[in-house]
Structure formats: C-alpha cells, structure tokens
Amino acid sequence: MANKINMKCKNMLLEYEQMQNLDDIIYSLSEDETSLIRTRHEEFVKSISLITLDRSSPITLTTVAGNIFAELLSKKILSMEAITRGIDAVLKDWNDYLMDYPQFFSYIAAIIAPLLISQNAFFDFNNLKDCCTSIRPDNSPKFFIEVLNKILSSKETQNIKEQLSGILWIYNKWLASEYVPLDIFMPDNQINKYFENDRIGAFLLSIAIYDKLKVTDSRVLYNVLHSWISTNISAEIIKCRQFVRALTIAIIIASLNSKLSYEDFFDHVHVKLLTYYIWSEPLPEPEIQAREVQCLYGIQIMSAALQYPRGMVLRLFHKLYQDSVISKESFEIWKKDDKFNAGFDEDLETKNMIVVVLNPFFISLEPNDSDED
C-alpha cells in the first residue's frame, strides 16, 4: 500500500515538472474519490513531502507540495491532523536526512509557508506547533526561523486581501493565532543563539518580551521583566538598537491585548522600562537618539501590521513626547530618515502613510512666536 502511495506521489510530481499544471493536479485529486489519499491521509502527506527532496529543484517542489496540501485542506479532502502528523513524522527523522539534505529544515519550511499563507486553509501558528512536536525544543528554533524566512521571501503575501507583506504579515498572522507563546518554538535559553539583527530578530525578541509582560502583575512588572532580560538576553543584544524596537512592540501588543485606549498605552511602568533601556549606559547623544528612533519605528511597524488604526500613531507619539521618553530631535530624525535599512524592508515602505497623519504632531513641535518672546 505504501508503495502505491509513493508511486502516485512520484507520478504527480513528475507530471508537474513536465506540465507545470498545479490546478489540474489538485482538481484530479479532488475528484478521484477512490484515491488512496482519501483513506491514508497521513501517509500521503509524508510521502509527497519526502519525494520532493529527491527532485532536481526541491525548494520549488516543496513549495508546490505545500500548495497542494493547502488546497486539499481548504476543500476538506485532507484533515488538519493528517497534515500536521504527516509533516511531524518527516521532521522526527531529521537526523537521518540532514547528511543527504543539508537544507532539510529549509525544504520542509517551504512546505509549511504556503499553508500559513493560504487564505482558505486556516492554518496558523498553533498548527505549525503541531507540525514540529517531535523536534521541540532542540531543533524547533532553527525550523521556526526557516519558516519565517520562507514567508518573508514569498511573493504570495503580497496578494492577500489585507495587503500586508513581510514582517507585517507575520505579526498579523501571529496576532490572529491568539498569541502563541514563543517558547513553544524557541525556549528562552535559545534566543541569544538564534538572534540576528534583522526584522526576524526583532520579531522574536518582541514576542518573547510580550510573553513575560502578559503574565506578570503590573506591580512587580519592572523588576520581574528586568530580571528576565538580564538572565536570558545577552548584553550584546540589549545594546543593539533593535532591542528598543522589540520592547516597544511588546508593550503595544500587551496594551492591545488588555484592550486599553491609546491614551493608556505606555503606562508609568512601560515608560520606566523604555527609559531605562534607552539610557541603559552612558552613550553619545547620537546613539541615544538612534535608540529613540527605533522606539518610533516599533510604533510604525505595529500600526502598519494592524492596518493603520485611526488615531493610534498620533496619540502614541504625543504620549511619548509628553512623558519625555523621546526627544524632539529624535522625532525629527525619524521623520527625515529615508535610507533603506537592509534587513528591515518595511521601515521605508510604510513610513509615508504614517507621516501624513502625523502632520498635526510635527506642527505642534515647531516653535511659535510666543515661545521666542
């Protein structure tokens, strides 16, 4: 029986390589009620996942496999459990495959990405968790980052109805997945190992910090979070400007989850945390300003991920200025910054929309005649 499934999967992928007819393949699988995949779902998922590794273009074909799974899932021909169990069965034997396929985790991540991106499959980060049960916690961090990278590089996120792409799409999907804790994929003691100074690194940090914010009583939040950061995050990462961006995003998510009005975001504890990590050590003024600017980029990115909620950015900028967290000079630096920052593609892409709504705020920063008298 297993040989029949393997043969069917091989023929299917061979047909795709020759004809590039993905729609026809999905239609054929959907209409064939006698097919073995109707009764042996998990074996089908495992078989087609493994067969793609042996083809001449595994990344392309693993993406095709992911698209097939997404379509069959949306049509209720494959169950969610069959997909998650089938992929987990492949990942379980990762050590056997890694020698022959050094990019093994990347290939399997290419199967996952279309499932997550699909509008109709309803596959989220909770389902991703079930796909990698057998490799948690030691190898799930590497796999999780590979999945995030595949999403960032996918053109499909450009075409979804929310008009979000890249890291904006990832934040939006994660929020829709009901805030899956990061430590399901990446334990606290692995963050330093896998952190990179890019948008994925900032995402990982922001979710890790948020996870601590949401379970800590506000009365002890400052000390508890400061202790957790000191224990789990290296001094090198804390000194990184993106740390302030991640902390800002975590605070915004925590405030959103608490259903606070924008005026109540950045309470006195949050302000104390931001101020501490912006001024955590004696630094030249340009470096302090650079950290403050990253705080503003954190607000910008979350606003874009949430599809620019009315009044959010204006109120949060005003709040941080009023509480002396961000200097007037740093607001101006952020506004004028038009350089492309490699690894943070969305910073420049989303700024114009934000700057337009902030005109009243920046006008208020300008000195008036009465100030000069």
Side-chain angles (χ1 to χ4, degrees):
M1 190 68 71
N3 288 337
K4 288 184 178 180
I5 293 177
N6 279 336
M7 185 60 66
K8 185 173 183 65
C9 291
K10 285 181 180 179
N11 290 338
M12 183 192 314
L13 291 174
L14 180 61
E15 180 184 345
Y16 174 79
E17 287 179 309
Q18 294 173 344
M19 307 293 292
Q20 303 289 302
N21 57 339
L22 182 58
D23 290 341
D24 292 341
I25 290 172
I26 292 171
Y27 178 79
S28 175
L29 289 170
S30 303
E31 293 298 308
D32 185 2
E33 296 185 2
T34 64
S35 172
L36 291 171
I37 73 165
R38 295 281 184 169
T39 56
R40 305 179 76 88
H41 294 176
E42 188 177 328
E43 288 181 49
F44 169 75
V45 172
K46 182 177 180 180
S47 180
I48 199 170
S49 299
L50 289 175
I51 290 170
T52 58
L53 302 181
D54 286 323
R55 313 307 289 182
S56 58
S57 303
I59 283 291
T60 299
L61 287 178
T62 47
T63 301
V64 169
N67 283 322
I68 290 173
F69 295 157
E71 286 297 316
L72 295 179
L73 179 60
S74 68
K75 297 177 186 298
K76 302 187 185 305
I77 295 170
L78 281 180
S79 68
M80 186 71 76
E81 183 180 14
I83 291 175
T84 57
R85 288 170 64 93
I87 293 175
D88 190 49
V90 175
L91 286 171
K92 182 179 180 181
D93 298 322
W94 66 273
N95 205 30
D96 296 335
Y97 300 119
L98 207 56
M99 184 172 294
D100 292 329
Y101 310 106
Q103 297 184 62
F104 173 72
F105 287 122
S106 180
Y107 293 155
I108 305 304
I111 295 175
I112 294 290
L115 282 160
L116 279 167
I117 293 167
S118 170
Q119 296 181 59
N120 301 316
F122 303 106
F123 188 99
D124 64 17
F125 285 117
N126 284 296
N127 305 120
L128 175 60
K129 171 194 68 177
D130 295 334
C131 284
C132 58
T133 300
S134 62
I135 61 171
R136 300 200 319 256
D138 293 339
N139 289 290
S140 54
K142 182 177 182 179
F143 178 62
F144 184 53
I145 289 175
E146 290 288 356
V147 171
L148 297 180
N149 275 313
K150 288 292 180 290
I151 293 171
L152 289 185
S153 63
S154 172
K155 294 181 180 178
E156 294 301 317
T157 57
Q158 303 282 354
N159 301 322
I160 61 175
K161 63 182 179 180
E162 293 89 352
Q163 296 299 307
L164 298 174
S165 62
I167 204 67
L168 308 179
W169 187 92
I170 289 174
Y171 272 114
N172 194 276
K173 185 74 171 183
W174 180 79
L175 291 169
S177 301
E178 299 182 352
Y179 310 95
V180 178
L182 180 68
D183 62 9
I184 284 177
F185 301 106
M186 183 175 294
D188 293 347
N189 62 7
Q190 296 285 307
I191 295 174
N192 290 333
K193 178 180 178 181
Y194 288 99
F195 176 82
E196 296 287 344
N197 187 19
D198 57 18
R199 50 192 167 162
I200 288 180
F203 170 77
L204 297 174
L205 268 181
S206 66
I207 303 308
I209 295 171
Y210 163 74
D211 288 341
K212 309 312 163 195
L213 288 173
K214 72 177 179 181
V215 297
T216 307
D217 189 296
S218 60
R219 291 170 294 184
V220 295
L221 176 58
Y222 179 83
N223 290 331
V224 169
L225 187 62
H226 183 59
S227 175
W228 179 85
I229 290 171
S230 300
T231 301
N232 293 284
I233 309 300
S234 70
E236 182 181 359
I237 293 175
I238 294 172
K239 290 178 182 178
C240 175
R241 297 171 183 176
Q242 311 310 328
F243 181 85
V244 176
R245 176 191 296 234
L247 177 59
T248 303
I249 290 173
I251 290 170
I252 291 173
I253 295 173
S255 300
L256 286 168
N257 196 35
S258 298
K259 303 188 185 307
L260 300 176
S261 64
Y262 298 137
E263 288 81 3
D264 294 325
F265 281 33
F266 298 114
D267 63 23
H268 71 283
V269 179
H270 297 154
V271 166
K272 187 177 179 181
L273 283 165
L274 279 172
T275 303
Y276 176 83
Y277 286 104
I278 290 172
W279 296 81
S280 59
E281 56 184 329
L283 292 168
E285 186 176 2
E287 180 59 29
I288 295 295
Q289 291 172 340
R291 293 185 179 191
E292 292 178 351
V293 166
Q294 287 306 312
C295 177
L296 301 179
Y297 272 117
I299 296 173
Q300 173 187 321
I301 289 300
M302 280 311 298
S303 174
L306 296 166
Q307 298 177 270
Y308 308 101
R310 184 179 179 86
M312 173 179 162
V313 174
L314 188 60
R315 288 183 175 89
L316 297 189
F317 270 46
H318 180 74
K319 171 76 171 174
L320 293 179
Y321 180 62
Q322 191 176 46
D323 290 347
S324 301
V325 178
I326 309 295
S327 68
K328 175 182 175 181
E329 291 75 18
S330 294
F331 282 111
E332 295 290 351
I333 291 170
W334 171 84
K335 181 183 179 182
K336 295 174 182 177
D337 183 14
D338 59 359
K339 295 178 182 177
F340 176 76
N341 187 6
F344 296 88
D345 300 36
E346 294 81 9
D347 286 6
L348 205 55
E349 295 171 5
T350 59
K351 177 171 282 188
N352 287 342
M353 182 77 76
I354 301 289
V355 169
V356 169
V357 301
L358 285 170
N359 279 335
F361 172 77
F362 282 102
I363 290 173
S364 73
L365 295 185
E366 296 175 0
N368 55 44
D369 293 339
S370 60
D371 292 332
E372 295 174 357
D373 290 341

